[in-house]
Amino acid sequence: GENVEQHPSTLSVQEGDSAVIKCTYSDSASNYFPWYKQELGKRPQLIIDIRSNVGEKKDQRIAVTLNKTAKHFSLHITETQPEDSAVYFCAAIRAGYSTLTFGKGTMLLVSP
Amino acid sequence: DAGVIQSPRHEVTEMGQEVTLRCKPISGHNSLFWYRQTMMRGLELLIYFNNNVPIDDSGMPEDRFSAKMPNASFSTLKIQPSEPRDSAVYFCASSPGTVEYEQYFGPGTRLTVT
């Protein structure tokens, strides 16, 4: 089955800095890669996703890049703000399937 | 739309008792997922339904866990008997598509078994 590794497990940045979270996946048949943000005590919420037919997607301060050859994808947050502090999860779905395989999560702390 | 609805939001019970968690997916979504989240194990998929039919229950820990989806707007996850190691946050999620679609999570049920 699919295996998703996520790094780092914790990330501390100063407000205004950029943050990058990286994930690798094992199944070359995976073709959908969502990112979820989970604030303390809240539900995971989809913030951005990418499909394997594109290499990059941006939405304001967040962007995701995908390298299918290397089987890794990354989340980039620019101009970080304290409200970006949360746990971020990457995930992957194999083509033709519905079940997500999640990474272990990255706790991002943005200090004012 | 109200989003995915779960009840109760918090449940405290004693070991050995039966626990039933409830979920109402987003109207029109045909896939429903039950997850368990703990610090140690992260987010784990327990079971997945498509069009009310269980498709993959390989994540259900053991026979004490069971799930049903009697209709498109309601699902239950039951634990009988409950044990302290079942303490976790249980999330229900729904998806509009059959495959490769985004999932929308409910607020979760925080279960504590003493």
Side-chain angles (χ1 to χ4, degrees), chain B residues 44-65:
Chain B
E44 303 174 276
L45 177 67
L46 300 178
I47 187 168
Y48 150 53
F49 292 87
N50 181 245
N51 292 324
N52 313 337
V53 176
I55 303 298
D56 182 358
D57 66 354
S58 59
M60 296 286 262
E62 49 198 274
D63 291 346
R64 298 184 298 105
F65 286 68

Side-chain angles (χ1 to χ4, degrees), chain A residues 29 31-32 34 36 38 40-46 49 51 87 89 93-105 107, chain B residues 2-4 9 31 33 35 37 39-43 45 48 50 56 91 97-108 110:
Chain A
N31 67 350
Y32 175 64
Y36 285 83
Q38 186 177 27
L40 187 63
K42 301 288 183 62
R43 75 190 78 187
Q45 290 195 292
L46 180 71
D49 56 12
R51 296 184 185 272
V87 178
F89 293 93
I93 292 184
R94 187 181 180 189
Y97 288 76
S98 292
T99 54
L100 284 168
T101 300
F102 282 92
K104 293 294 186 187
M107 181 176 292
Chain B
V4 177
R9 296 293 308 277
S31 295
F33 307 82
Y35 291 90
Q37 186 176 37
M39 288 295 293
M40 291 297 294
R41 302 174 69 89
L43 268 166
L45 177 67
Y48 150 53
N50 181 245
D56 182 358
F91 288 103
T98 303
V99 293
E100 304 155 26
Y101 273 88
E102 58 271 29
Q103 296 181 18
Y104 298 88
F105 282 75
R110 181 173 295 278

